[in-house]
Amino acid sequence: MATDFPEDLAAGYGRYLQKGYVRFREAQERLAIYGQRPEVMVISCCDSRVTPEGVFHVGPGELFVVRNVANLVPPYEETEGQHGTSAAIEYAVKVLKVKHIVVMGHAQCGGVRAFRETANAPLVTGEFIGRWIKLLEPAAIAMACMPVDKLDDPQLAMEYAGVRQSLKNLRTFPFVDAAVSAGALKVHGAWFDIGSGELRVMDPETEKFEPCLAAGADDT
Amino acid sequence: MATDFPEDLAAGYGRYLQKGYVRFREAQERLAIYGQRPEVMVISCCDSRVTPEGVFHVGPGELFVVRNVANLVPPYEETEGQHGTSAAIEYAVKVLKVKHIVVMGHAQCGGVRAFRETANAPLVTGEFIGRWIKLLEPAAIAMACMPVDKLDDPQLAMEYAGVRQSLKNLRTFPFVDAAVSAGALKVHGAWFDIGSGELRVMDPETEKFEPCLAAGADDT
Amino acid sequence: MATDFPEDLAAGYGRYLQKGYVRFREAQERLAIYGQRPEVMVISCCDSRVTPEGVFHVGPGELFVVRNVANLVPPYEETEGQHGTSAAIEYAVKVLKVKHIVVMGHAQCGGVRAFRETANAPLVTGEFIGRWIKLLEPAAIAMACMPVDKLDDPQLAMEYAGVRQSLKNLRTFPFVDAAVSAGALKVHGAWFDIGSGELRVMDPETEKFEPCLAAGADDT
Amino acid sequence: MATDFPEDLAAGYGRYLQKGYVRFREAQERLAIYGQRPEVMVISCCDSRVTPEGVFHVGPGELFVVRNVANLVPPYEETEGQHGTSAAIEYAVKVLKVKHIVVMGHAQCGGVRAFRETANAPLVTGEFIGRWIKLLEPAAIAMACMPVDKLDDPQLAMEYAGVRQSLKNLRTFPFVDAAVSAGALKVHGAWFDIGSGELRVMDPETEKFEPCLAAGADDT
């Protein structure tokens, strides 16, 4: 075949066939016939270091996954235009009727960094990125109002603020809000530390990010 | 903690810490310090049955991943509005300077099915999905012009046509086109069969989808 | 006379004078004095094999006929420019107050074939044809969404879809829609098979094309 | 069938099947298989009293027919938009390679009358008709410059002038002009008198309309 498909990817796919597919074969055959019924949607970053299926160690059929730059949820908008993330949220809530939506931020997020570096400069990184990460503006405003002790790691502070804002935006979708109010859907914030593998989860009352596993929990 | 984070996810994360993280610990520590340098971007579907890192059997740091409904690339547009997928493509090409972009479709795609089922009906599944999958319209037109022998599986024909259209749309981004013309970037079409695990790759000349691995190649 | 008018046409006109005109002389004299009052408008193709007056076996004064490539009705458009077909529809509905509009497609339509052959290629047949048959795009989308059993004859499927789309477009003209709603006008879809002479009529409820004459009806 | 297709038309179609189709059956079967190869294109009016196939007494496959209000040819225009008549001309010349184009006007033309009645008034007959028959403006200017003896029948004078202008406009299409210059295509003006059945043909040198058949010719 006159294709120049990357050899590394083809080789990786070969390993998948021998390992991953063999392991999940029955599940995949069943999923192909009966369709997917994931109970969880994850909104995560495109970052190559953050794979939701990896972090939650799940096989096929478990997570409905949106990945965009900086794991952002736009606010509900009735304007024209193609809203990819909004479409995915609508599909997850209305069609798949997922029970949970997890917005998962992460450390060293390049989208957050681009926002912090370009806010006072021309959008050097380009027209689309610049406009997309404008969605972080409310998070930046929230962060600017934090007490000083929260600002010793401004990159982290904005990563957290970004997740909080995305959760707020999620609730602006009438069908999300209705499902949450009816108790049929829960929304969660999370944050993943690439280097240490630590996952933190947002406490919905305090809006603080706490370790997902209590101390000692990881040795059970 | 007053969180109601799903127990299944927390348990899965516990398994990840003991297995996935242990396995890739060094890589992740290094990736946290030096940043990501993926050479491949994959544009894939949100579908819970299609995980690019799984299909290509790669660890953290390898794939920059966009996932949206029906793995669509919008055409280059200079209009206002937040274009999440376009922002990710710009980030991958301009900032990360990836060498390959793979648009990966898949069997039983619910976005494609929604398009085929709703084109002549009210967009019952909602406003965002309806507008988003309008991006499939050129693919539908291409499909309507296919010879009859390509139309015996219209769902598959449109899945293929959708990938081809996304590849065309990719080339409408000036920075993508420039990188491809300069030989610095290659774009690829692929299609994954959930049930059989088969991956097909588009021949760029014939635009046909052929098995990624030649017969017998998967047992080497 | 220094004319080079085709001899065949002149000879044909001679035959008309002896046959057609003699037959309809009174009608034509009356029509010349009192003007036309056709109750039916037919929108048909330029194709030399499809003559509405022939297929409906009517004499002068019966059918107000638009003929364009692929019997297309454009959607109502308020833009500048000369819209010949729209002007004819307006004349038929507002001035002549016709009671019926029949959009008649036909087999082996070259306009439909040109669309199917050129959609993925340069519009080799030229700028005007290419732009004109773009009006078939919504029909192509509708066709791409048909169940597989409708796609075994894609040329026919698109001929049908083209008629359906033209009927939809007809209703976008406010004066057409108002007349239909008031019960003063009916719109019909039809399709003519050149080889067999069969005429099919669209059932307005199912949108299926059925034989115009029930079995045996043609020998009454 | 739940159709309300006009009974008159269905009955007429029944007569066609027994007469017209039987008469031309072999020709139609052949035309369905081998396609159309008409050597003549006729641009005629939608008027129900003017049927080109009738006036030239020809069967299926002979005439490629455009019919629009007032048998007008727009000038060649490179603007966007759907130009139905231009598309048909292009198809006839480039694809079918017809040898003759006949622009056929006729007596009591409603389009010409609408122009003459509305030129100094609001376009009471509507937006599309008004814009379409603006194509007659150059014909009106030409007519306004005629000597007085040509103006005793201004309706006729403008019908003639309209045909002359359409012939001029035809030549503005580069592919028409090239074919005419190469001797591969001839363009003709004609005018049909509904009441008397007389056909007049334009002398290309004098631009006068003369009887198609010389005196006595009709009794040969």
Side-chain angles (χ1 to χ4, degrees):
Chain A
M1 182 172 52
T3 183
D4 45 4
F5 198 71
E7 281 182 25
D8 284 0
L9 291 183
Y13 169 63
R15 290 194 303 274
Y16 158 75
L17 269 191
Q18 293 178 324
K19 298 186 177 177
Y21 180 64
V22 167
R23 188 173 162 206
F24 291 114
R25 179 179 211 140
E26 273 182 73
Q28 288 192 213
E29 287 172 347
R30 201 179 55 245
L31 285 163
I33 295 169
Y34 297 107
Q36 64 175 333
R37 293 195 190 174
E39 297 195 344
V40 178
M41 176 188 202
V42 180
I43 297 165
S44 179
C45 187
C46 297
D47 194 294
S48 64
R49 301 165 296 180
V50 184
T51 304
E53 291 90 342
V55 171
F56 295 115
H57 205 261
V58 294
E62 301 293 331
L63 305 181
F64 186 76
V65 178
V66 164
R67 291 179 67 176
N68 62 38
V69 172
N71 43 272
L72 295 171
V73 175
Y76 178 76
E77 267 188 29
E78 301 192 69
T79 59
E80 287 301 310
Q82 274 96 19
H83 301 279
T85 298
S86 304
I89 293 167
E90 190 177 41
Y91 195 86
V93 175
K94 288 194 182 173
V95 180
L96 298 175
K97 300 187 197 307
V98 297
K99 296 181 179 170
H100 300 277
I101 300 179
V102 179
V103 177
M104 182 164 75
H106 69 96
Q108 288 95 34
C109 180
V112 168
R113 182 177 299 118
F115 181 89
R116 294 204 350 107
E117 287 174 357
T118 60
N120 295 309
L123 292 168
V124 287
T125 48
E127 55 216 305
F128 293 109
I129 303 168
R131 271 186 268 149
W132 175 249
I133 59 179
K134 259 182 175 297
L135 289 168
L136 280 169
E137 284 186 352
I141 292 166
M143 179 189 143
C145 302
M146 288 178 185
V148 64
D149 62 303
K150 303 288 185 193
L151 294 174
D152 58 342
D153 185 345
Q155 167 82 13
L156 177 63
M158 190 173 292
E159 285 163 3
Y160 284 174
V163 173
R164 288 187 197 106
Q165 184 62 39
S166 283
L167 292 174
K168 281 200 188 72
N169 288 349
L170 259 182
R171 296 295 294 268
T172 63
F173 288 76
F175 49 86
V176 170
D177 196 55
V180 170
S181 299
L185 173 67
K186 287 192 170 118
V187 299
H188 311 274
W191 178 89
F192 178 68
D193 189 46
I194 294 163
S196 70
E198 185 182 354
L199 183 73
R200 296 181 193 166
V201 174
M202 196 188 87
D203 184 315
E205 287 182 15
T206 64
E207 294 203 338
K208 284 188 184 174
F209 284 77
E210 312 277 6
C212 176
L213 298 183
D218 56 336
D219 51 18
T220 57
Chain B
M1 182 174 55
T3 182
D4 45 5
F5 198 72
E7 280 183 24
D8 283 359
L9 290 184
Y13 170 62
R15 290 195 303 274
Y16 159 74
L17 270 189
Q18 293 177 323
K19 297 187 177 174
Y21 180 64
V22 167
R23 186 173 164 208
F24 291 112
R25 178 177 212 143
E26 273 182 73
Q28 288 193 214
E29 288 173 348
R30 200 179 56 246
L31 285 163
I33 295 168
Y34 297 107
Q36 64 174 335
R37 293 194 191 174
E39 297 195 343
V40 177
M41 176 187 202
V42 179
I43 296 165
S44 180
C45 187
C46 297
D47 194 293
S48 65
R49 301 165 296 179
V50 184
T51 304
E53 291 90 342
V55 171
F56 293 115
H57 206 262
V58 294
E62 300 294 331
L63 304 180
F64 185 76
V65 178
V66 163
R67 291 179 66 177
N68 61 39
V69 173
N71 43 272
L72 295 172
V73 175
Y76 179 76
E77 268 189 28
E78 302 192 68
T79 59
E80 288 300 308
Q82 273 95 19
H83 301 278
T85 298
S86 304
I89 293 166
E90 192 177 39
Y91 194 86
V93 174
K94 289 193 181 173
V95 180
L96 299 175
K97 299 187 198 309
V98 297
K99 295 181 179 169
H100 300 278
I101 300 179
V102 179
V103 177
M104 183 165 76
H106 69 96
Q108 287 95 32
C109 181
V112 168
R113 183 176 297 119
F115 181 90
R116 292 206 351 109
E117 287 174 357
T118 60
N120 293 310
L123 290 168
V124 287
T125 48
E127 57 216 303
F128 293 108
I129 302 169
R131 271 186 268 148
W132 175 251
I133 59 180
K134 258 185 176 294
L135 289 168
L136 280 168
E137 285 189 350
I141 291 168
M143 181 191 142
C145 301
M146 288 180 185
V148 64
D149 61 304
K150 303 289 184 193
L151 294 173
D152 57 343
D153 186 342
Q155 167 83 12
L156 177 63
M158 192 175 288
E159 286 163 3
Y160 283 175
V163 172
R164 289 188 196 106
Q165 184 61 39
S166 283
L167 292 175
K168 280 199 190 75
N169 288 348
L170 259 181
R171 295 296 293 269
T172 63
F173 288 76
F175 49 86
V176 170
D177 196 56
V180 169
S181 298
L185 174 66
K186 287 196 170 113
V187 300
H188 311 274
W191 178 90
F192 178 68
D193 189 47
I194 293 164
S196 70
E198 184 183 355
L199 182 72
R200 296 181 194 166
V201 175
M202 196 188 86
D203 183 316
E205 287 181 15
T206 63
E207 295 205 335
K208 284 186 183 174
F209 285 75
E210 312 277 5
C212 177
L213 298 183
D218 55 336
D219 52 17
T220 56
Chain C
M1 182 173 54
T3 183
D4 46 5
F5 198 72
E7 281 182 26
D8 284 358
L9 290 183
Y13 168 64
R15 290 193 304 273
Y16 159 75
L17 270 189
Q18 293 179 322
K19 298 186 178 179
Y21 180 64
V22 167
R23 187 173 164 207
F24 292 113
R25 178 178 211 142
E26 273 183 74
Q28 289 192 215
E29 289 173 346
R30 200 179 56 245
L31 285 164
I33 295 168
Y34 297 107
Q36 63 175 335
R37 294 195 190 172
E39 298 195 344
V40 178
M41 176 189 202
V42 180
I43 297 165
S44 179
C45 187
C46 297
D47 194 295
S48 65
R49 301 165 295 179
V50 184
T51 304
E53 291 90 343
V55 172
F56 294 116
H57 205 260
V58 294
E62 301 292 330
L63 305 181
F64 186 76
V65 178
V66 163
R67 292 179 66 177
N68 62 38
V69 172
N71 43 271
L72 296 171
V73 174
Y76 179 75
E77 268 189 29
E78 301 193 69
T79 60
E80 288 300 310
Q82 274 94 21
H83 301 277
T85 299
S86 303
I89 294 166
E90 191 177 40
Y91 194 87
V93 175
K94 288 192 182 173
V95 179
L96 298 176
K97 301 188 198 307
V98 297
K99 296 183 179 168
H100 299 277
I101 300 179
V102 179
V103 176
M104 182 165 75
H106 69 94
Q108 288 97 32
C109 180
V112 168
R113 183 175 298 120
F115 180 90
R116 294 206 350 109
E117 286 174 358
T118 59
N120 293 308
L123 291 167
V124 288
T125 48
E127 57 217 307
F128 293 109
I129 302 169
R131 271 186 268 147
W132 175 251
I133 58 181
K134 258 185 176 295
L135 289 169
L136 280 168
E137 285 190 350
I141 291 168
M143 180 191 145
C145 301
M146 288 179 184
V148 64
D149 62 302
K150 303 288 185 195
L151 295 174
D152 57 344
D153 186 343
Q155 167 84 12
L156 176 64
M158 191 175 289
E159 286 163 2
Y160 283 175
V163 172
R164 289 188 196 105
Q165 185 62 39
S166 282
L167 292 175
K168 280 200 190 73
N169 288 348
L170 259 182
R171 296 296 294 268
T172 63
F173 288 75
F175 49 85
V176 171
D177 195 57
V180 170
S181 298
L185 174 66
K186 286 194 170 115
V187 299
H188 310 274
W191 177 90
F192 178 67
D193 189 46
I194 294 164
S196 70
E198 184 183 354
L199 182 73
R200 297 181 193 165
V201 174
M202 196 188 85
D203 183 317
E205 287 181 18
T206 63
E207 296 204 337
K208 284 187 184 174
F209 285 75
E210 312 277 6
C212 176
L213 297 183
D218 56 335
D219 51 20
T220 55
Chain D
M1 183 173 53
T3 183
D4 45 4
F5 198 71
E7 280 182 26
D8 284 357
L9 291 183
Y13 168 64
R15 290 193 304 273
Y16 159 75
L17 270 191
Q18 293 178 323
K19 298 186 178 176
Y21 180 65
V22 166
R23 187 174 164 207
F24 291 113
R25 178 177 212 142
E26 273 182 73
Q28 288 193 213
E29 288 173 347
R30 199 179 57 245
L31 285 163
I33 294 169
Y34 298 107
Q36 63 174 335
R37 293 194 190 173
E39 297 195 345
V40 178
M41 175 187 200
V42 179
I43 297 165
S44 179
C45 187
C46 298
D47 194 295
S48 64
R49 301 164 296 179
V50 185
T51 304
E53 290 91 342
V55 172
F56 294 115
H57 205 261
V58 293
E62 300 293 331
L63 305 180
F64 186 76
V65 179
V66 163
R67 292 179 67 176
N68 61 39
V69 172
N71 43 273
L72 296 171
V73 174
Y76 179 76
E77 268 189 27
E78 300 193 69
T79 59
E80 289 299 310
Q82 273 96 17
H83 301 279
T85 298
S86 304
I89 294 166
E90 191 178 40
Y91 194 87
V93 175
K94 288 193 182 175
V95 179
L96 298 176
K97 300 188 198 308
V98 298
K99 295 180 178 170
H100 300 277
I101 299 179
V102 179
V103 177
M104 183 165 75
H106 68 96
Q108 288 96 33
C109 179
V112 168
R113 182 177 299 119
F115 180 89
R116 292 197 0 103
E117 287 173 357
T118 60
N120 296 310
L123 291 168
V124 287
T125 47
E127 55 216 303
F128 293 108
I129 302 168
R131 271 187 268 147
W132 176 250
I133 59 179
K134 260 183 176 296
L135 289 168
L136 280 169
E137 284 187 352
I141 292 166
M143 181 190 141
C145 303
M146 287 179 185
V148 64
D149 61 304
K150 303 289 184 191
L151 293 176
D152 57 342
D153 185 344
Q155 167 83 13
L156 177 63
M158 190 173 292
E159 286 163 2
Y160 283 174
V163 173
R164 289 187 196 107
Q165 185 61 40
S166 282
L167 292 174
K168 280 198 190 73
N169 288 349
L170 259 183
R171 297 295 293 269
T172 63
F173 288 76
F175 48 87
V176 170
D177 195 56
V180 170
S181 298
L185 173 68
K186 288 195 169 111
V187 299
H188 312 274
W191 177 91
F192 178 69
D193 189 47
I194 293 163
S196 71
E198 185 182 355
L199 182 72
R200 297 180 192 167
V201 175
M202 195 188 86
D203 183 317
E205 288 181 15
T206 64
E207 294 202 337
K208 284 188 183 174
F209 285 76
E210 311 278 5
C212 176
L213 297 183
D218 56 337
D219 52 19
T220 57

